[in-house]
């Protein structure tokens, strides 16, 4: 059971109630102890808070939230401390992946502690937090840590259909409509989701099929629909909603076959008012599960129940799904979530930064929105890490700090910068035409940005001065040399200018 860090024999019997733990939680961006220890009960609460904060920085926000956040503090017995996890799966995972690190961190905090025991919380059912399923396949996806304006887990957590609690995954209260930032790329999908939440089972919207790339908000919107439908103040909360990933659907189905309980499984599924299956593409090639889903689907739709499905492609592009299922999936409303735009990324960052209560300068938000363009999850992860760092060290968020703290993330997003890219970014920044980069115009409003672009080309690419000159309307290499020294000079005398150049450089830098 124990994670041995530096030898020694197993410790004695653990005596702990399993709820006396604390964990690092953040609401409104503050680092807080959770549980009774928040009031100072556990003698090691302060140490634990520091260790959690360290871990959070080391492993990153998403990983921390996914695996470590639910750890709670148990008893100390001589040189051994017990940490609790709510499920067997989490306990085993944390033990294998983080056991040694936890040991080392504890030992560094409290020299007497030489062993860390990872145990299953004795009575985690009394714990109000949603519990990921044992198979660990479909626990709610990594959650956004920041949404201070949204109701906390205790007030809004809705156990999805009590009677089906082992069938479906819990809905994450932070994935609400309120927490979803709407922009051009997702407004249609958002409107459809809203519509289904307001009036489920309308013919034109059943099934609702949401599709789009990774991390663009499909799961968020599905949870939002479920949360809205099960709001206690709405129809007495009587609507039963089952949300699960296609993967979990399959595992449950297989488990039902093994234990000869397929009838029960079918009945359970057919008894819900709304069935939501996330990431349907997972069923490609899983013919028996597809078949089962197809029948469930038909039974529910025929009974006037709502289906919501998500996938990474449109029904027609999901080759590998049975034709009849594909056809039926396309019969209701099919809504596409497009890749994010710069504007949407900025809006999302602004909303999340504001909710965190940490002041993040617009330049930093712009920088992030330029750098991390692939998906919202990564964008959010980066911002959360910045905020955690700011909270921890009480330092203001600056561009420099951002580069430092997000070094690894930014590196992954880096690519080789080209002169064309530099010209484009610089023109956009000063609102001049791209063609003016190579035009003969000498007006200051055009010449200055052109000089900056030359300077950045020299700094950020390996091109020679004559090569750079050629890309700027066949100018001479001495013109480029002059531009470089002129920009350097200006940067020392004009701090606003220097900041602009610096921002551009950071945006472009590889
Ligand atoms: P998908 O299921 O499409 O892969 P998710 O729904 O899991 O993506 O979204 C990834 C993360 O990004 C989640 O934390 C989600 O809350 C967040 N997110 C995505 N889109 C938005 C949005 N428009 N507004 C706010 N948060 C968003
Ligand atoms: Mg998803």
């Amino acid at each position: 059971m124990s994670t041995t860090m530096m030898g020694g024999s197993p410790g004695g019997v653990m005596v702990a109630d399993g709820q006396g733990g604390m964990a690092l939680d953040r609401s409104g961006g503050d680092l807080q102890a959770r549980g009774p220890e928040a009031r100072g009960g556990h003698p090691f609460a302060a140490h634990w808070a520091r260790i959690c904060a360290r871990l959070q920085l080391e492993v990153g926000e998403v990983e921390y939230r996914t695996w470590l956040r639910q750890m709670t503090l148990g008893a100390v017995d001589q040189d051994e401390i017990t940490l609790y996890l709510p499920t067997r799966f989490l306990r085993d995972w944390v033990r294998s992946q983080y056991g040694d690190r936890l040991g080392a961190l504890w030992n560094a905090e409290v020299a007497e502690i030489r062993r860390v025991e990872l145990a299953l919380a004795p009575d985690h059912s009394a714990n109000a937090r949603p519990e990921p399923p044992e198979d660990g396949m479909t626990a709610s996806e990594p959650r956004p840590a920041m949404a201070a304006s949204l109701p906390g887990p205790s007030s809004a957590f809705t156990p999805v259909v009590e009677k089906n609690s082992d069938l479906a995954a819990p809905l994450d209260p932070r994935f609400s409509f309120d927490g979803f930032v709407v922009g051009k790329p997702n407004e249609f999908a958002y409107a459809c989701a809203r519509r289904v939440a307001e009036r489920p089972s309308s013919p034109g919207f059943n099934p609702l099929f949401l599709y789009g790339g990774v991390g663009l908000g499909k799961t968020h919107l599905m949870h939002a629909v479920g949360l809205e439908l099960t709001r206690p103040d709405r129809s007495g909360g009587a609507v039963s909603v089952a949300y699960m990933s296609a993967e979990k659907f399959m595992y449950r189905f297989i488990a039902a076959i093994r234990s000869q309980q397929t009838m029960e499984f079918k009945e359970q599924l057919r008894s819900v008012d709304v069935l939501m299956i996330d990431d349907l593409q997972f069923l490609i090639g899983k013919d028996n599960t597809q078949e089962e889903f197809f029948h469930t689907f038909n039974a529910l739709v025929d009974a006037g129940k709502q289906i919501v499905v998500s996938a990474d492609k449109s029904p027609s592009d999901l080759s590998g799904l049975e034709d009849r299922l594909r056809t039926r999936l396309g019969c209701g409303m099919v809504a596409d979530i497009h890749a994010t735009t710069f504007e949407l990324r900025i809006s999302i960052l602004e909303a999340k930064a504001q909710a965190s209560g940490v002041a993040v300068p617009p330049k930093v938000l712009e920088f992030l929105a330029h750098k991390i363009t692939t998906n919202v999850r990564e964008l959010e992860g980066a911002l959360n890490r910045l905020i955690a760092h700011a909270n921890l060290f009480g330092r203001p968020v600056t561009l420099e700090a951002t580069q430092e703290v997000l070094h690894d993330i930014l590196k992954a997003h880096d690519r080789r910068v080209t002169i064309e890219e530099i010209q484009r970014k610089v023109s956009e920044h000063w609102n001049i035409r791209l063609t003016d980069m190579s035009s003969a115009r000498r007006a200051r409003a055009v010449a200055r940005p052109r000089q900056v672009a030359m300077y950045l080309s020299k700094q950020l690419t390996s091109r020679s001065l004559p090569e750079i000159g050629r890309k700027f309307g066949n100018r001479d290499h001495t013109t480029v040399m002059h531009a470089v020294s002129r920009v350097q000079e200006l940067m020392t005398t004009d701090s606003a200018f220097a900041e602009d150049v610096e921002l551009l450089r950071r945006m472009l830098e590889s």
Side-chain angles (χ1 to χ4, degrees):
M1 284 287 270
S2 294
T3 298
T4 306
M5 343 174 275
M6 34 200 75
S9 58
V13 180
M14 297 292 114
V15 190
D17 64 8
Q19 292 159 59
M22 53 122 5
L24 190 70
D25 194 5
R26 299 199 280 119
S27 45
D30 281 320
L31 299 171
Q32 289 186 346
R34 193 204 276 137
E37 274 61 39
R39 297 185 291 274
H42 200 289
F44 286 173
H47 297 300
W48 183 221
R50 270 195 295 276
I51 289 171
C52 288
R54 270 301 294 251
L55 268 178
Q56 202 168 3
L57 285 179
E58 281 181 18
V59 305
E61 192 67 34
V62 171
E63 208 170 305
Y64 181 85
R65 266 184 279 129
T66 310
W67 305 112
L68 300 166
R69 189 167 174 260
Q70 303 205 54
M71 261 188 306
T72 55
L73 198 53
V76 180
D77 185 24
Q78 295 176 19
D79 65 347
E80 179 172 286
I81 186 153
T82 300
L83 301 176
Y84 285 120
L85 283 145
T87 68
R88 221 164 254 115
F89 172 80
L90 275 176
R91 179 203 59 194
D92 295 344
W93 181 263
V94 170
R95 186 186 290 152
S96 68
Q97 303 297 311
Y98 307 100
D100 292 344
R101 188 64 195 136
L102 278 167
L105 285 171
W106 267 106
N107 187 245
E109 265 292 318
V110 186
E112 290 75 26
I113 302 278
R114 302 172 69 81
R115 300 165 56 76
V116 169
E117 161 109 355
L118 290 162
L120 194 59
D123 180 17
H124 59 275
S125 58
N127 214 324
R129 265 173 270 141
E131 180 203 336
E134 276 287 339
D135 60 26
M137 296 294 178
T138 59
S140 46
E141 302 201 27
R143 295 171 187 152
M146 226 53 67
S149 58
L150 304 176
S154 52
S155 60
F157 169 64
T158 317
V160 184
V161 215
E162 275 301 310
K163 60 182 190 295
N164 285 337
S165 51
D166 71 322
L167 178 74
L171 297 174
D172 190 317
R174 280 156 296 196
F175 286 170
S176 67
F177 280 123
D178 285 347
F180 192 81
V181 180
V182 186
K184 271 260 170 300
N186 60 26
E187 62 188 6
F188 183 64
Y190 173 83
C192 293
R194 271 274 185 204
R195 175 64 166 62
V196 166
E198 265 154 37
R199 265 174 292 161
S201 310
S202 321
F205 290 82
N206 201 14
L208 171 61
F209 189 100
L210 300 169
Y211 76 96
V214 177
L216 298 181
K218 301 183 295 293
T219 298
H220 188 136
L221 279 180
M222 291 176 101
H223 281 237
V225 171
L227 290 167
E228 188 64 27
L229 283 166
T230 52
R231 246 175 46 197
D233 59 331
R234 203 186 129 145
S235 60
V239 177
S240 63
V241 175
Y243 162 86
M244 73 187 93
S245 68
E247 201 175 7
K248 176 156 179 177
F249 181 89
M250 186 184 88
Y251 285 114
R252 289 286 180 243
F253 177 54
I254 292 173
I257 295 175
R258 284 220 188 96
S259 57
Q260 300 184 322
Q261 291 187 317
T262 40
M263 279 318 289
E264 286 85 342
F265 177 74
K266 284 177 209 257
E267 267 165 34
Q268 264 190 327
L269 278 174
R270 285 163 174 64
S271 71
V272 301
D273 298 316
V274 181
L275 177 65
M276 302 204 269
I277 303 288
D278 207 350
D279 292 320
L280 194 80
Q281 70 274 7
F282 183 82
L283 293 193
I284 287 175
K286 322 277 193 320
D287 293 348
N288 293 337
T289 312
Q290 252 185 62
E291 170 102 14
E292 182 55 36
F293 175 66
F294 180 69
H295 292 310
T296 305
F297 181 104
N298 287 335
L300 284 170
V301 173
D302 289 347
K305 309 298 179 63
Q306 175 76 45
I307 309 265
V308 182
V309 167
S310 87
D312 61 351
K313 296 195 192 72
S314 72
S316 51
D317 287 339
L318 278 175
S319 51
L321 272 197
E322 251 190 90
D323 281 345
R324 53 180 188 167
L325 176 56
R326 235 164 353 127
T327 311
R328 289 226 64 173
L329 285 171
C331 277
M333 182 55 70
V334 177
D336 180 359
I337 307 188
H338 298 270
T340 57
T341 56
F342 179 72
E343 289 73 26
L344 178 61
R345 292 196 293 280
I346 287 283
S347 306
I348 291 173
L349 286 169
E350 277 171 355
K352 307 218 182 228
Q354 201 188 7
S356 79
V358 170
V360 184
K363 289 217 162 174
V364 169
L365 298 184
E366 267 177 44
F367 173 69
L368 289 179
H370 267 296
K371 275 284 191 181
I372 303 173
T373 54
T374 43
N375 75 57
V376 181
R377 185 175 301 134
E378 290 203 33
L379 197 62
E380 196 174 42
L383 182 70
N384 286 345
R385 191 168 341 155
L386 268 189
I387 287 166
H389 195 266
N391 275 328
L392 208 66
F393 298 109
R395 282 199 225 116
V397 179
T398 60
L399 265 183
E400 287 70 30
T402 304
Q403 285 236 300
E404 202 181 298
V405 175
L406 302 180
H407 180 72
D408 52 338
I409 299 179
L410 295 173
K411 214 165 122 196
H413 286 267
D414 272 341
R415 62 240 126 89
R416 227 170 256 292
V417 69
T418 62
I419 294 182
E420 287 74 15
E421 243 178 308
I422 295 173
Q423 293 179 327
R424 194 158 38 78
K425 279 266 157 33
V426 172
S427 322
E428 275 168 18
H429 187 82
W430 273 294
N431 246 326
I432 64 169
R433 285 194 306 254
L434 184 57
T435 50
D436 276 333
M437 283 290 152
S438 25
S439 77
R441 287 183 63 201
R442 307 182 70 160
R444 163 85 68 86
V446 174
R448 187 73 79 228
R450 191 189 294 132
Q451 287 179 324
V452 170
M454 288 183 197
Y455 164 85
L456 289 170
S457 301
K458 182 73 197 114
Q459 300 273 309
L460 303 179
T461 73
S462 51
R463 298 309 180 88
S464 66
L465 293 176
E467 276 175 314
I468 295 173
R470 270 199 292 283
K471 296 263 186 186
F472 285 82
N474 268 328
R475 285 181 156 79
D476 193 69
H477 77 277
T478 52
T479 310
V480 182
M481 235 158 69
H482 173 72
V484 171
S485 54
R486 184 76 189 112
V487 169
Q488 278 168 340
E489 194 183 303
L490 267 177
M491 284 175 73
T492 60
T493 55
D494 181 343
S495 62
F497 175 77
E499 225 178 283
D500 277 340
V501 176
E502 191 59 11
L503 175 69
L504 281 164
R505 187 177 70 76
R506 284 176 197 278
M507 276 178 193
L508 290 160
E509 209 170 41
S510 57

